[in-house]
Amino acid sequence: MAIHHNGGSSTCVIEPIELADVSNYLSEPAKREPHVESRRSLTLGNILSDSRNGDPVETLPSPTTASAEKLERWNQSRVNMLRTFAAFWSFVVMGSNDAAYGALIPYLQEYYNLTFVIISLVFLSPLAGYTASALLNNNIHLRFGQRGVAMISPGCHLLAYIIIAVHPPYPVLVVIFMVAGFGNGLADAAWNAWIGNMANPNEVLGFLHAFYGVGAVLSPLIATTMITKGGGMPWYNFYYVMIGMAVIELATSITAFWGATGAEFRAKNPRSTDAKDNRMKEALIRLPHARVTWLCALFLLGYVGIEVALGGWIVKFMLQVRDGKPFASGMTATGFWMGLTVGRIILGFITPKLGEKLAIAIYLPLTMALELVFWLVPQFYVSAVAVAFQGFFLGPLFPAAVVAATKLLPRHLHVSAIGFAAAFGGSGAAIFPFAVGAIAQGHGVKVLQPIILSLLGVILGLWLCLPRIHKKQE
């Protein structure tokens, strides 16, 4: 009998001429049956004992057929379609959550009688939630799968919106925005990593983030209309709309992802290396993967900061610096978010043709040129058009960064690395808008433009530091 090794498996071929003595193989069962040991390692007791290292699938064998695995498609089954639409709705809720801050700030400031710095805490407080989601995302996937994300994230949204709707004292409001931030960070990380691993990820991620833009367009319009045209309706009534959206998110997410358990996730995402670190440590510390993770995380930190700082402070800028009328200034913010949404859809089809590395290296200098026009031409309509086109070219940056990470990192690190990068990047929605508000306290809201231009230059430098992007690693 001859033993032929092929990757991680062994093939036995019986020679018809003579029979060899195989007794020596019987004394080495561990070498002959690695998969038996792997199956033993997946018993409940071993999963619990290995969880001390943060990875209950530490002993899974390296896959030998991953390169032949066919990528999922969003429409290959009813389940996938339902899950994709549930993720789209989740991003509508996230966009509505983030964009509402800018529309509500003047009314929150008046209601609680706050300064620029103190009111800017509504941007900063979700940072704690984003940080926690970045650290816990991988463990939630390994233990509870996408089902866990589908329950926890909408649950955090629903709890936060119910408490905000009863308009508690301002310190309570700041704390509860942390809970909303945790829900946002968890869903952001999970659905980006999942869709980023599909076929045609630029296009599907483009639509995913376009739905974020839809929420970001609609919520300021709804909030402003309720407050200004609703017969003296208080600001917190808007959160009854958010409660309804969170209820729909909870129902659709649980229904769609109920079968996506931790066991299913572990089976689909076995290790492809022999490293004994847990996955988060491997993604954040072990080179060369740590370099990609941190570059993507810092890139997304700057990008999300630019997006939310512009969307959150543009109305105030147009009112105070460009002397715009209230309605026209509000429509400038709508134009920015509309540009972002359209850019994510249209450029989502162009980006893969150019390649992610080259496409973003083109979009960012164009955005910087538009930012200079916005800053240096003191004319209201020029500024309004320039900021809308900035949104258009900024739109595909987040999806392209996620796709780049899926191509530069092995599959078993996608959830931990992309999840961390997305959640860490989401904290930019807290840090930079708060920084703009704090600096504006002493120097006026005109500081928005040099801050945005500087951030654009920084993320362009980070993007160019990424390795050459080839096809996805498996």
Side-chain angles (χ1 to χ4, degrees), residues 349-384:
F349 291 92
I350 296 173
T351 299
K353 292 179 169 39
L354 296 174
E356 290 79 21
K357 191 76 180 283
L358 176 60
I360 302 308
I362 294 172
Y363 301 155
L364 276 173
L366 289 173
T367 308
M368 295 172 74
L370 289 163
E371 176 59 30
L372 282 171
V373 172
F374 186 15
W375 181 15
L376 300 177
V377 180
Q379 212 280 336
F380 182 90
Y381 292 106
V382 172
S383 296

PDB file of all heavy atoms in Angstrom, residues 349-384:
ATOM      1  N   PHE A 349     -19.465  50.850  -9.676  1.00  0.00           N
ATOM      2  CA  PHE A 349     -19.267  50.053 -10.887  1.00  0.00           C
ATOM      3  C   PHE A 349     -17.972  50.430 -11.611  1.00  0.00           C
ATOM      4  O   PHE A 349     -17.443  49.638 -12.378  1.00  0.00           O
ATOM      5  CB  PHE A 349     -20.466  50.230 -11.823  1.00  0.00           C
ATOM      6  CG  PHE A 349     -21.729  49.604 -11.315  1.00  0.00           C
ATOM      7  CD1 PHE A 349     -22.642  50.338 -10.559  1.00  0.00           C
ATOM      8  CD2 PHE A 349     -22.011  48.263 -11.549  1.00  0.00           C
ATOM      9  CE1 PHE A 349     -23.800  49.762 -10.070  1.00  0.00           C
ATOM     10  CE2 PHE A 349     -23.162  47.674 -11.066  1.00  0.00           C
ATOM     11  CZ  PHE A 349     -24.067  48.417 -10.322  1.00  0.00           C
ATOM     12  N   ILE A 350     -17.487  51.653 -11.372  1.00  0.00           N
ATOM     13  CA  ILE A 350     -16.266  52.109 -12.034  1.00  0.00           C
ATOM     14  C   ILE A 350     -15.020  51.671 -11.268  1.00  0.00           C
ATOM     15  O   ILE A 350     -13.995  51.301 -11.867  1.00  0.00           O
ATOM     16  CB  ILE A 350     -16.299  53.644 -12.191  1.00  0.00           C
ATOM     17  CG1 ILE A 350     -17.463  54.041 -13.113  1.00  0.00           C
ATOM     18  CG2 ILE A 350     -14.974  54.184 -12.711  1.00  0.00           C
ATOM     19  CD1 ILE A 350     -17.695  55.533 -13.209  1.00  0.00           C
ATOM     20  N   THR A 351     -15.089  51.679  -9.939  1.00  0.00           N
ATOM     21  CA  THR A 351     -13.925  51.377  -9.095  1.00  0.00           C
ATOM     22  C   THR A 351     -13.291  50.028  -9.416  1.00  0.00           C
ATOM     23  O   THR A 351     -12.066  49.946  -9.561  1.00  0.00           O
ATOM     24  CB  THR A 351     -14.312  51.449  -7.605  1.00  0.00           C
ATOM     25  OG1 THR A 351     -14.760  52.783  -7.316  1.00  0.00           O
ATOM     26  CG2 THR A 351     -13.135  51.120  -6.710  1.00  0.00           C
ATOM     27  N   PRO A 352     -14.052  48.909  -9.537  1.00  0.00           N
ATOM     28  CA  PRO A 352     -13.395  47.632  -9.832  1.00  0.00           C
ATOM     29  C   PRO A 352     -12.739  47.582 -11.205  1.00  0.00           C
ATOM     30  O   PRO A 352     -11.780  46.821 -11.399  1.00  0.00           O
ATOM     31  CB  PRO A 352     -14.541  46.611  -9.730  1.00  0.00           C
ATOM     32  CG  PRO A 352     -15.787  47.389  -9.881  1.00  0.00           C
ATOM     33  CD  PRO A 352     -15.502  48.742  -9.315  1.00  0.00           C
ATOM     34  N   LYS A 353     -13.226  48.385 -12.138  1.00  0.00           N
ATOM     35  CA  LYS A 353     -12.596  48.413 -13.466  1.00  0.00           C
ATOM     36  C   LYS A 353     -11.231  49.105 -13.411  1.00  0.00           C
ATOM     37  O   LYS A 353     -10.291  48.710 -14.107  1.00  0.00           O
ATOM     38  CB  LYS A 353     -13.512  49.119 -14.464  1.00  0.00           C
ATOM     39  CG  LYS A 353     -14.792  48.344 -14.775  1.00  0.00           C
ATOM     40  CD  LYS A 353     -15.677  49.101 -15.740  1.00  0.00           C
ATOM     41  CE  LYS A 353     -16.829  48.277 -16.277  1.00  0.00           C
ATOM     42  NZ  LYS A 353     -17.470  47.380 -15.352  1.00  0.00           N
ATOM     43  N   LEU A 354     -11.122  50.138 -12.598  1.00  0.00           N
ATOM     44  CA  LEU A 354      -9.845  50.835 -12.439  1.00  0.00           C
ATOM     45  C   LEU A 354      -8.915  50.099 -11.475  1.00  0.00           C
ATOM     46  O   LEU A 354      -7.692  50.217 -11.572  1.00  0.00           O
ATOM     47  CB  LEU A 354     -10.079  52.255 -11.912  1.00  0.00           C
ATOM     48  CG  LEU A 354     -10.848  53.229 -12.807  1.00  0.00           C
ATOM     49  CD1 LEU A 354     -11.112  54.535 -12.065  1.00  0.00           C
ATOM     50  CD2 LEU A 354     -10.068  53.504 -14.083  1.00  0.00           C
ATOM     51  N   GLY A 355      -9.487  49.334 -10.545  1.00  0.00           N
ATOM     52  CA  GLY A 355      -8.733  48.765  -9.438  1.00  0.00           C
ATOM     53  C   GLY A 355      -8.828  49.697  -8.240  1.00  0.00           C
ATOM     54  O   GLY A 355      -8.747  50.927  -8.390  1.00  0.00           O
ATOM     55  N   GLU A 356      -9.023  49.125  -7.045  1.00  0.00           N
ATOM     56  CA  GLU A 356      -9.260  49.949  -5.859  1.00  0.00           C
ATOM     57  C   GLU A 356      -8.117  50.922  -5.594  1.00  0.00           C
ATOM     58  O   GLU A 356      -8.343  52.092  -5.269  1.00  0.00           O
ATOM     59  CB  GLU A 356      -9.479  49.058  -4.624  1.00  0.00           C
ATOM     60  CG  GLU A 356     -10.774  48.278  -4.617  1.00  0.00           C
ATOM     61  CD  GLU A 356     -10.724  47.045  -5.496  1.00  0.00           C
ATOM     62  OE1 GLU A 356      -9.586  46.580  -5.780  1.00  0.00           O
ATOM     63  OE2 GLU A 356     -11.788  46.545  -5.888  1.00  0.00           O
ATOM     64  N   LYS A 357      -6.873  50.455  -5.725  1.00  0.00           N
ATOM     65  CA  LYS A 357      -5.722  51.304  -5.377  1.00  0.00           C
ATOM     66  C   LYS A 357      -5.681  52.550  -6.267  1.00  0.00           C
ATOM     67  O   LYS A 357      -5.533  53.675  -5.790  1.00  0.00           O
ATOM     68  CB  LYS A 357      -4.436  50.483  -5.537  1.00  0.00           C
ATOM     69  CG  LYS A 357      -3.176  51.147  -4.958  1.00  0.00           C
ATOM     70  CD  LYS A 357      -3.140  51.052  -3.456  1.00  0.00           C
ATOM     71  CE  LYS A 357      -1.901  51.705  -2.858  1.00  0.00           C
ATOM     72  NZ  LYS A 357      -0.692  50.883  -2.986  1.00  0.00           N
ATOM     73  N   LEU A 358      -5.830  52.371  -7.588  1.00  0.00           N
ATOM     74  CA  LEU A 358      -5.766  53.491  -8.513  1.00  0.00           C
ATOM     75  C   LEU A 358      -7.000  54.375  -8.392  1.00  0.00           C
ATOM     76  O   LEU A 358      -6.895  55.611  -8.406  1.00  0.00           O
ATOM     77  CB  LEU A 358      -5.643  52.973  -9.952  1.00  0.00           C
ATOM     78  CG  LEU A 358      -5.672  54.033 -11.064  1.00  0.00           C
ATOM     79  CD1 LEU A 358      -4.519  55.012 -10.901  1.00  0.00           C
ATOM     80  CD2 LEU A 358      -5.638  53.368 -12.439  1.00  0.00           C
ATOM     81  N   ALA A 359      -8.175  53.758  -8.252  1.00  0.00           N
ATOM     82  CA  ALA A 359      -9.421  54.540  -8.213  1.00  0.00           C
ATOM     83  C   ALA A 359      -9.418  55.541  -7.062  1.00  0.00           C
ATOM     84  O   ALA A 359      -9.712  56.732  -7.259  1.00  0.00           O
ATOM     85  CB  ALA A 359     -10.618  53.595  -8.095  1.00  0.00           C
ATOM     86  N   ILE A 360      -9.056  55.073  -5.867  1.00  0.00           N
ATOM     87  CA  ILE A 360      -9.069  55.982  -4.713  1.00  0.00           C
ATOM     88  C   ILE A 360      -7.950  57.006  -4.821  1.00  0.00           C
ATOM     89  O   ILE A 360      -8.098  58.147  -4.361  1.00  0.00           O
ATOM     90  CB  ILE A 360      -8.966  55.182  -3.399  1.00  0.00           C
ATOM     91  CG1 ILE A 360     -10.117  54.173  -3.302  1.00  0.00           C
ATOM     92  CG2 ILE A 360      -8.993  56.108  -2.191  1.00  0.00           C
ATOM     93  CD1 ILE A 360     -11.487  54.763  -3.514  1.00  0.00           C
ATOM     94  N   ALA A 361      -6.842  56.625  -5.449  1.00  0.00           N
ATOM     95  CA  ALA A 361      -5.750  57.584  -5.682  1.00  0.00           C
ATOM     96  C   ALA A 361      -6.171  58.674  -6.674  1.00  0.00           C
ATOM     97  O   ALA A 361      -5.530  59.723  -6.733  1.00  0.00           O
ATOM     98  CB  ALA A 361      -4.515  56.858  -6.196  1.00  0.00           C
ATOM     99  N   ILE A 362      -7.243  58.441  -7.427  1.00  0.00           N
ATOM    100  CA  ILE A 362      -7.799  59.472  -8.315  1.00  0.00           C
ATOM    101  C   ILE A 362      -8.886  60.269  -7.596  1.00  0.00           C
ATOM    102  O   ILE A 362      -8.925  61.501  -7.662  1.00  0.00           O
ATOM    103  CB  ILE A 362      -8.368  58.831  -9.598  1.00  0.00           C
ATOM    104  CG1 ILE A 362      -7.237  58.217 -10.435  1.00  0.00           C
ATOM    105  CG2 ILE A 362      -9.153  59.852 -10.422  1.00  0.00           C
ATOM    106  CD1 ILE A 362      -7.732  57.391 -11.613  1.00  0.00           C
ATOM    107  N   TYR A 363      -9.786  59.556  -6.890  1.00  0.00           N
ATOM    108  CA  TYR A 363     -10.919  60.229  -6.251  1.00  0.00           C
ATOM    109  C   TYR A 363     -10.465  61.229  -5.184  1.00  0.00           C
ATOM    110  O   TYR A 363     -11.050  62.309  -5.050  1.00  0.00           O
ATOM    111  CB  TYR A 363     -11.854  59.208  -5.597  1.00  0.00           C
ATOM    112  CG  TYR A 363     -12.450  58.179  -6.526  1.00  0.00           C
ATOM    113  CD1 TYR A 363     -12.860  56.934  -6.032  1.00  0.00           C
ATOM    114  CD2 TYR A 363     -12.620  58.420  -7.892  1.00  0.00           C
ATOM    115  CE1 TYR A 363     -13.416  55.973  -6.863  1.00  0.00           C
ATOM    116  CE2 TYR A 363     -13.167  57.457  -8.734  1.00  0.00           C
ATOM    117  CZ  TYR A 363     -13.555  56.235  -8.211  1.00  0.00           C
ATOM    118  OH  TYR A 363     -14.093  55.282  -9.034  1.00  0.00           O
ATOM    119  N   LEU A 364      -9.449  60.880  -4.406  1.00  0.00           N
ATOM    120  CA  LEU A 364      -9.055  61.757  -3.302  1.00  0.00           C
ATOM    121  C   LEU A 364      -8.462  63.087  -3.770  1.00  0.00           C
ATOM    122  O   LEU A 364      -8.844  64.144  -3.238  1.00  0.00           O
ATOM    123  CB  LEU A 364      -8.085  61.027  -2.363  1.00  0.00           C
ATOM    124  CG  LEU A 364      -8.755  60.150  -1.306  1.00  0.00           C
ATOM    125  CD1 LEU A 364      -7.729  59.328  -0.541  1.00  0.00           C
ATOM    126  CD2 LEU A 364      -9.566  61.003  -0.328  1.00  0.00           C
ATOM    127  N   PRO A 365      -7.550  63.129  -4.742  1.00  0.00           N
ATOM    128  CA  PRO A 365      -7.084  64.440  -5.226  1.00  0.00           C
ATOM    129  C   PRO A 365      -8.219  65.290  -5.819  1.00  0.00           C
ATOM    130  O   PRO A 365      -8.219  66.513  -5.658  1.00  0.00           O
ATOM    131  CB  PRO A 365      -6.050  64.075  -6.293  1.00  0.00           C
ATOM    132  CG  PRO A 365      -5.532  62.741  -5.869  1.00  0.00           C
ATOM    133  CD  PRO A 365      -6.731  62.036  -5.299  1.00  0.00           C
ATOM    134  N   LEU A 366      -9.188  64.650  -6.498  1.00  0.00           N
ATOM    135  CA  LEU A 366     -10.335  65.397  -7.002  1.00  0.00           C
ATOM    136  C   LEU A 366     -11.136  66.005  -5.857  1.00  0.00           C
ATOM    137  O   LEU A 366     -11.581  67.167  -5.932  1.00  0.00           O
ATOM    138  CB  LEU A 366     -11.233  64.482  -7.850  1.00  0.00           C
ATOM    139  CG  LEU A 366     -10.686  64.047  -9.209  1.00  0.00           C
ATOM    140  CD1 LEU A 366     -11.595  63.004  -9.852  1.00  0.00           C
ATOM    141  CD2 LEU A 366     -10.536  65.256 -10.134  1.00  0.00           C
ATOM    142  N   THR A 367     -11.308  65.241  -4.792  1.00  0.00           N
ATOM    143  CA  THR A 367     -12.021  65.747  -3.615  1.00  0.00           C
ATOM    144  C   THR A 367     -11.267  66.906  -2.978  1.00  0.00           C
ATOM    145  O   THR A 367     -11.874  67.899  -2.540  1.00  0.00           O
ATOM    146  CB  THR A 367     -12.214  64.620  -2.589  1.00  0.00           C
ATOM    147  OG1 THR A 367     -12.818  63.493  -3.221  1.00  0.00           O
ATOM    148  CG2 THR A 367     -13.115  65.069  -1.448  1.00  0.00           C
ATOM    149  N   MET A 368      -9.936  66.807  -2.920  1.00  0.00           N
ATOM    150  CA  MET A 368      -9.126  67.883  -2.353  1.00  0.00           C
ATOM    151  C   MET A 368      -9.240  69.155  -3.199  1.00  0.00           C
ATOM    152  O   MET A 368      -9.305  70.273  -2.656  1.00  0.00           O
ATOM    153  CB  MET A 368      -7.670  67.440  -2.231  1.00  0.00           C
ATOM    154  CG  MET A 368      -7.462  66.309  -1.238  1.00  0.00           C
ATOM    155  SD  MET A 368      -5.796  65.627  -1.252  1.00  0.00           S
ATOM    156  CE  MET A 368      -4.902  66.957  -0.431  1.00  0.00           C
ATOM    157  N   ALA A 369      -9.279  69.015  -4.518  1.00  0.00           N
ATOM    158  CA  ALA A 369      -9.444  70.183  -5.391  1.00  0.00           C
ATOM    159  C   ALA A 369     -10.799  70.851  -5.148  1.00  0.00           C
ATOM    160  O   ALA A 369     -10.903  72.087  -5.066  1.00  0.00           O
ATOM    161  CB  ALA A 369      -9.311  69.760  -6.856  1.00  0.00           C
ATOM    162  N   LEU A 370     -11.854  70.034  -4.999  1.00  0.00           N
ATOM    163  CA  LEU A 370     -13.183  70.574  -4.717  1.00  0.00           C
ATOM    164  C   LEU A 370     -13.227  71.239  -3.346  1.00  0.00           C
ATOM    165  O   LEU A 370     -13.915  72.250  -3.159  1.00  0.00           O
ATOM    166  CB  LEU A 370     -14.222  69.450  -4.803  1.00  0.00           C
ATOM    167  CG  LEU A 370     -14.518  68.930  -6.213  1.00  0.00           C
ATOM    168  CD1 LEU A 370     -15.218  67.575  -6.158  1.00  0.00           C
ATOM    169  CD2 LEU A 370     -15.381  69.950  -6.971  1.00  0.00           C
ATOM    170  N   GLU A 371     -12.490  70.677  -2.386  1.00  0.00           N
ATOM    171  CA  GLU A 371     -12.429  71.275  -1.053  1.00  0.00           C
ATOM    172  C   GLU A 371     -11.771  72.656  -1.107  1.00  0.00           C
ATOM    173  O   GLU A 371     -12.201  73.595  -0.412  1.00  0.00           O
ATOM    174  CB  GLU A 371     -11.668  70.346  -0.109  1.00  0.00           C
ATOM    175  CG  GLU A 371     -11.455  70.910   1.291  1.00  0.00           C
ATOM    176  CD  GLU A 371     -12.741  71.243   2.009  1.00  0.00           C
ATOM    177  OE1 GLU A 371     -13.767  70.592   1.756  1.00  0.00           O
ATOM    178  OE2 GLU A 371     -12.724  72.176   2.832  1.00  0.00           O
ATOM    179  N   LEU A 372     -10.728  72.799  -1.922  1.00  0.00           N
ATOM    180  CA  LEU A 372     -10.087  74.110  -2.091  1.00  0.00           C
ATOM    181  C   LEU A 372     -11.066  75.112  -2.703  1.00  0.00           C
ATOM    182  O   LEU A 372     -11.109  76.281  -2.293  1.00  0.00           O
ATOM    183  CB  LEU A 372      -8.845  73.972  -2.966  1.00  0.00           C
ATOM    184  CG  LEU A 372      -7.595  73.415  -2.290  1.00  0.00           C
ATOM    185  CD1 LEU A 372      -6.505  73.120  -3.317  1.00  0.00           C
ATOM    186  CD2 LEU A 372      -7.075  74.390  -1.231  1.00  0.00           C
ATOM    187  N   VAL A 373     -11.848  74.673  -3.690  1.00  0.00           N
ATOM    188  CA  VAL A 373     -12.870  75.553  -4.277  1.00  0.00           C
ATOM    189  C   VAL A 373     -13.878  75.959  -3.205  1.00  0.00           C
ATOM    190  O   VAL A 373     -14.254  77.147  -3.082  1.00  0.00           O
ATOM    191  CB  VAL A 373     -13.572  74.851  -5.457  1.00  0.00           C
ATOM    192  CG1 VAL A 373     -14.770  75.671  -5.946  1.00  0.00           C
ATOM    193  CG2 VAL A 373     -12.588  74.618  -6.599  1.00  0.00           C
ATOM    194  N   PHE A 374     -14.344  74.990  -2.439  1.00  0.00           N
ATOM    195  CA  PHE A 374     -15.317  75.233  -1.372  1.00  0.00           C
ATOM    196  C   PHE A 374     -14.778  76.252  -0.360  1.00  0.00           C
ATOM    197  O   PHE A 374     -15.485  77.160   0.079  1.00  0.00           O
ATOM    198  CB  PHE A 374     -15.616  73.892  -0.687  1.00  0.00           C
ATOM    199  CG  PHE A 374     -16.701  73.944   0.349  1.00  0.00           C
ATOM    200  CD1 PHE A 374     -17.582  75.015   0.443  1.00  0.00           C
ATOM    201  CD2 PHE A 374     -16.857  72.889   1.235  1.00  0.00           C
ATOM    202  CE1 PHE A 374     -18.591  75.038   1.404  1.00  0.00           C
ATOM    203  CE2 PHE A 374     -17.858  72.904   2.193  1.00  0.00           C
ATOM    204  CZ  PHE A 374     -18.723  73.984   2.274  1.00  0.00           C
ATOM    205  N   TRP A 375     -13.515  76.122  -0.020  1.00  0.00           N
ATOM    206  CA  TRP A 375     -12.903  76.964   1.002  1.00  0.00           C
ATOM    207  C   TRP A 375     -12.580  78.367   0.487  1.00  0.00           C
ATOM    208  O   TRP A 375     -12.864  79.372   1.151  1.00  0.00           O
ATOM    209  CB  TRP A 375     -11.634  76.259   1.501  1.00  0.00           C
ATOM    210  CG  TRP A 375     -10.886  76.972   2.584  1.00  0.00           C
ATOM    211  CD1 TRP A 375     -11.329  78.005   3.376  1.00  0.00           C
ATOM    212  CD2 TRP A 375      -9.558  76.685   3.033  1.00  0.00           C
ATOM    213  NE1 TRP A 375     -10.358  78.381   4.268  1.00  0.00           N
ATOM    214  CE2 TRP A 375      -9.263  77.592   4.091  1.00  0.00           C
ATOM    215  CE3 TRP A 375      -8.593  75.752   2.644  1.00  0.00           C
ATOM    216  CZ2 TRP A 375      -8.032  77.582   4.748  1.00  0.00           C
ATOM    217  CZ3 TRP A 375      -7.373  75.739   3.308  1.00  0.00           C
ATOM    218  CH2 TRP A 375      -7.096  76.637   4.349  1.00  0.00           C
ATOM    219  N   LEU A 376     -12.018  78.456  -0.719  1.00  0.00           N
ATOM    220  CA  LEU A 376     -11.414  79.705  -1.172  1.00  0.00           C
ATOM    221  C   LEU A 376     -12.337  80.574  -2.026  1.00  0.00           C
ATOM    222  O   LEU A 376     -12.024  81.742  -2.272  1.00  0.00           O
ATOM    223  CB  LEU A 376     -10.127  79.409  -1.953  1.00  0.00           C
ATOM    224  CG  LEU A 376      -9.034  78.663  -1.159  1.00  0.00           C
ATOM    225  CD1 LEU A 376      -7.845  78.352  -2.048  1.00  0.00           C
ATOM    226  CD2 LEU A 376      -8.601  79.485   0.062  1.00  0.00           C
ATOM    227  N   VAL A 377     -13.444  80.030  -2.528  1.00  0.00           N
ATOM    228  CA  VAL A 377     -14.394  80.826  -3.316  1.00  0.00           C
ATOM    229  C   VAL A 377     -15.575  81.176  -2.418  1.00  0.00           C
ATOM    230  O   VAL A 377     -16.443  80.335  -2.168  1.00  0.00           O
ATOM    231  CB  VAL A 377     -14.866  80.065  -4.571  1.00  0.00           C
ATOM    232  CG1 VAL A 377     -15.849  80.920  -5.376  1.00  0.00           C
ATOM    233  CG2 VAL A 377     -13.680  79.652  -5.431  1.00  0.00           C
ATOM    234  N   PRO A 378     -15.640  82.398  -1.918  1.00  0.00           N
ATOM    235  CA  PRO A 378     -16.655  82.769  -0.920  1.00  0.00           C
ATOM    236  C   PRO A 378     -18.011  83.090  -1.555  1.00  0.00           C
ATOM    237  O   PRO A 378     -18.523  84.213  -1.452  1.00  0.00           O
ATOM    238  CB  PRO A 378     -16.041  83.999  -0.251  1.00  0.00           C
ATOM    239  CG  PRO A 378     -15.222  84.639  -1.317  1.00  0.00           C
ATOM    240  CD  PRO A 378     -14.703  83.515  -2.172  1.00  0.00           C
ATOM    241  N   GLN A 379     -18.574  82.119  -2.223  1.00  0.00           N
ATOM    242  CA  GLN A 379     -19.859  82.303  -2.893  1.00  0.00           C
ATOM    243  C   GLN A 379     -20.760  81.122  -2.539  1.00  0.00           C
ATOM    244  O   GLN A 379     -20.363  79.967  -2.652  1.00  0.00           O
ATOM    245  CB  GLN A 379     -19.628  82.396  -4.408  1.00  0.00           C
ATOM    246  CG  GLN A 379     -20.606  83.282  -5.152  1.00  0.00           C
ATOM    247  CD  GLN A 379     -21.932  82.591  -5.418  1.00  0.00           C
ATOM    248  OE1 GLN A 379     -22.003  81.358  -5.453  1.00  0.00           O
ATOM    249  NE2 GLN A 379     -22.987  83.374  -5.584  1.00  0.00           N
ATOM    250  N   PHE A 380     -21.977  81.418  -2.118  1.00  0.00           N
ATOM    251  CA  PHE A 380     -22.849  80.391  -1.548  1.00  0.00           C
ATOM    252  C   PHE A 380     -23.094  79.238  -2.520  1.00  0.00           C
ATOM    253  O   PHE A 380     -22.921  78.063  -2.161  1.00  0.00           O
ATOM    254  CB  PHE A 380     -24.191  81.020  -1.137  1.00  0.00           C
ATOM    255  CG  PHE A 380     -25.138  80.045  -0.502  1.00  0.00           C
ATOM    256  CD1 PHE A 380     -25.137  79.840   0.871  1.00  0.00           C
ATOM    257  CD2 PHE A 380     -26.035  79.316  -1.272  1.00  0.00           C
ATOM    258  CE1 PHE A 380     -26.012  78.941   1.456  1.00  0.00           C
ATOM    259  CE2 PHE A 380     -26.907  78.404  -0.684  1.00  0.00           C
ATOM    260  CZ  PHE A 380     -26.889  78.217   0.677  1.00  0.00           C
ATOM    261  N   TYR A 381     -23.496  79.548  -3.750  1.00  0.00           N
ATOM    262  CA  TYR A 381     -23.883  78.482  -4.677  1.00  0.00           C
ATOM    263  C   TYR A 381     -22.676  77.670  -5.143  1.00  0.00           C
ATOM    264  O   TYR A 381     -22.782  76.449  -5.363  1.00  0.00           O
ATOM    265  CB  TYR A 381     -24.655  79.060  -5.859  1.00  0.00           C
ATOM    266  CG  TYR A 381     -26.005  79.587  -5.455  1.00  0.00           C
ATOM    267  CD1 TYR A 381     -26.244  80.955  -5.382  1.00  0.00           C
ATOM    268  CD2 TYR A 381     -27.041  78.722  -5.104  1.00  0.00           C
ATOM    269  CE1 TYR A 381     -27.488  81.449  -4.981  1.00  0.00           C
ATOM    270  CE2 TYR A 381     -28.280  79.195  -4.709  1.00  0.00           C
ATOM    271  CZ  TYR A 381     -28.496  80.566  -4.648  1.00  0.00           C
ATOM    272  OH  TYR A 381     -29.721  81.051  -4.244  1.00  0.00           O
ATOM    273  N   VAL A 382     -21.528  78.326  -5.289  1.00  0.00           N
ATOM    274  CA  VAL A 382     -20.309  77.585  -5.623  1.00  0.00           C
ATOM    275  C   VAL A 382     -19.978  76.593  -4.513  1.00  0.00           C
ATOM    276  O   VAL A 382     -19.637  75.430  -4.768  1.00  0.00           O
ATOM    277  CB  VAL A 382     -19.128  78.555  -5.866  1.00  0.00           C
ATOM    278  CG1 VAL A 382     -17.823  77.777  -6.025  1.00  0.00           C
ATOM    279  CG2 VAL A 382     -19.383  79.416  -7.091  1.00  0.00           C
ATOM    280  N   SER A 383     -20.089  77.049  -3.273  1.00  0.00           N
ATOM    281  CA  SER A 383     -19.817  76.170  -2.130  1.00  0.00           C
ATOM    282  C   SER A 383     -20.796  75.007  -2.080  1.00  0.00           C
ATOM    283  O   SER A 383     -20.417  73.862  -1.800  1.00  0.00           O
ATOM    284  CB  SER A 383     -19.890  76.965  -0.825  1.00  0.00           C
ATOM    285  OG  SER A 383     -18.893  77.953  -0.775  1.00  0.00           O
ATOM    286  N   ALA A 384     -22.071  75.283  -2.381  1.00  0.00           N
ATOM    287  CA  ALA A 384     -23.094  74.230  -2.353  1.00  0.00           C
ATOM    288  C   ALA A 384     -22.814  73.158  -3.397  1.00  0.00           C
ATOM    289  O   ALA A 384     -22.929  71.955  -3.125  1.00  0.00           O
ATOM    290  CB  ALA A 384     -24.478  74.840  -2.563  1.00  0.00           C
TER     291      ALA A 384
END
